Amino acid sequence: MLSPETGPIAVIGGTGALGGGIARRLLRARLEVILGSRDAARASAAAAQLTEEIGSPARGTDNLSAARDADIVVVAVPFASQSATLTELAPVVEGKIVIDTTVPLIPPRVTRVQLPPEGSAAGVAQKILGGRARQVFAFHNVSAKKLAGEGPVDCDVLVFSDDKGARELTIDLANACGLRGVDGGALVNSAAAEALTSVLIWINKTYAVEGAGIRITGLRPPSELNMSRDERRHDSQRDAPEASSVDRAGFDPARFCRRFLSQGYNGSLQLRYVSNGDDCVVLAAPSQPELLETNDEMVADGALITLLDMTGTLAVWTRLGRFRPHATLDLRIDHLAAIPPDTEISSSAECYHLTQRIAYVRGQASTGDGTLIAMLAATYAFTDQP
Amino acid sequence: VSQSSPNTPAMGVRISVDPEGRELLLLSFAPHLRGRPGFLHGGAIAGLLSLACDHAIRKETGSSGATPPRCLTSSFQFLRGGREQDVHALATVQRGRAISTVSAAAWQNSESKPVAVLTRKYLMG
């Protein structure tokens, strides 16, 4: 499952049209991206431009370094370079998820299906990486031009892999890019989507359009499709009284806190997990007056605000049952009492309303003896739908 | 940097004066202020903004023994992600008899592109 723990994503061929488009959308979803190219300088320049444009930091380097430094590797190179690229990357992608977008287009007859002797580009890749990496094929049918734009892309992303976890993560990534990922089953099925690309190029020419795409019909609406499997299962059992919170827990705040609250500013404030329910979370932190260097009076409450914001953030993911990138839109805080020094503050927050784009949270902070210190109303905007 | 509990690195906020003579608060980026990868933690920016407001209202009322104005409400608006760089903040006070309003903006590269703004209400005296 996609989460902030998801390490950097390398986009090999990141200076190309498809790779650049994917990188751009991953960055907009606030994921960490490393652009890879045969020419490290070109990758650096492209990364600098994306950073400037999107305001989310990307870096660029050669293909091998990019793949080595990443947890997930997206391969977006032409069919003619696929074998050489994968052979080069093989030593550094051991155990990693490798999402390959290669389609066997053989110029000049790109409007004709020409699958290679291995059966598909996926077959070629499997021969090279076989068993070393968690191989996925996806993004075959998506128009690079539309992906590079800001608007929605009217195309589903079929995702193929023999590794179920890798398929699910890739579907999350496609959704984070503002597309809709659809589970297409085993890697061998990739041949169908690869072949379809030649058909789409033919359609583009015949109807004089740019970027014809595919839609899988008969599925549930995107709001349900984008839910985690656990949440869907819970949804279908809505009336079953014994559906426990564990059942829907695709997102485990306790586990998340163990990994994530010890890092960065959260760690320096010593936030800790206390408990959670279906749509609420309780955290605690020592009260820590923040002082101005020239002033020894207690003047600010950054720790309290961070504690409330983090509690709200976790309440959203807990209710959602999965991690989904979001940004705090606004925080409204009523300060009911001063923060006593040297005490522990506990903060609880409930995500009481959720839409496709916005999560609404209310919460409060109190001292150990139950004195209310602050009330919170917050909104968060999901950032994975451009 | 500060006298808060010794095991806690404080944010390290300093007062700086800009070329126009305005008193700004400066939060220097440090690794312990990281949020998600590549970004400054929103809570650190919020902390800086609240410091800026509190500092400004105290300066306005002077440090004359009386109880300092008490903060009643805070409204933070987050406008863009803060990068792993220094942040400046400037607060302005709209003084009222019973209630004062203090607004602060925090920015990194350009003052015209704030990363977050805060408005606080204070009960006077």
Side-chain angles (χ1 to χ4, degrees), chain A residues 9-29 31 33-37 42-43 45-51 53-54 56 58-60 63 74-78 101 139 142-150 153 177 179:
Chain A
I9 302 170
V11 181
I12 305 303
T15 54
L18 181 63
I22 291 174
R24 185 179 300 262
R25 288 188 178 245
L26 292 174
L27 280 170
R28 276 208 205 104
L31 292 157
V33 174
I34 309 170
L35 292 186
S37 168
R42 271 189 69 202
Q49 199 191 330
L50 280 178
T51 302
E53 192 182 317
I54 297 171
S56 196
R59 65 188 176 91
N63 283 337
V74 177
V75 178
V77 299
T101 66
F139 293 98
V142 184
S143 146
K145 207 172 250 177
K146 294 214 167 165
L147 209 51
E150 297 233 345
V153 181
C177 289
L179 298 149

Side-chain angles (χ1 to χ4, degrees), chain A residues 30 32 51 264-266 288 290-294 297 299 301 305-306 328-335, chain B residues 3 8 10-11 13-14 32 34 36-37 41 43 51 54-55 58 71-74 76 78 83 120:
Chain A
R30 305 190 171 213
E32 194 181 348
T51 302
Y265 193 52
N266 292 327
Q288 292 176 37
E290 182 69 41
L291 305 172
L292 206 53
E293 279 189 351
T294 52
E297 286 175 289
V299 284
D301 41 19
I305 295 151
T306 305
T328 310
L329 275 188
D330 56 42
L331 293 176
R332 269 273 304 113
I333 296 172
D334 291 328
H335 302 271
Chain B
Q3 289 82 38
T8 311
M11 292 200 298
V13 176
R14 287 188 286 115
H32 75 268
R34 269 198 190 112
R36 66 203 155 81
H41 199 295
L51 261 175
D54 288 6
H55 178 66
R58 274 161 197 256
C71 177
L72 299 173
T73 67
S74 300
F76 293 90
F78 295 92
R83 310 273 279 279
R120 281 194 147 173

Side-chain angles (χ1 to χ4, degrees), chain B residues 46 75 115:
Chain B
S75 180
V115 291

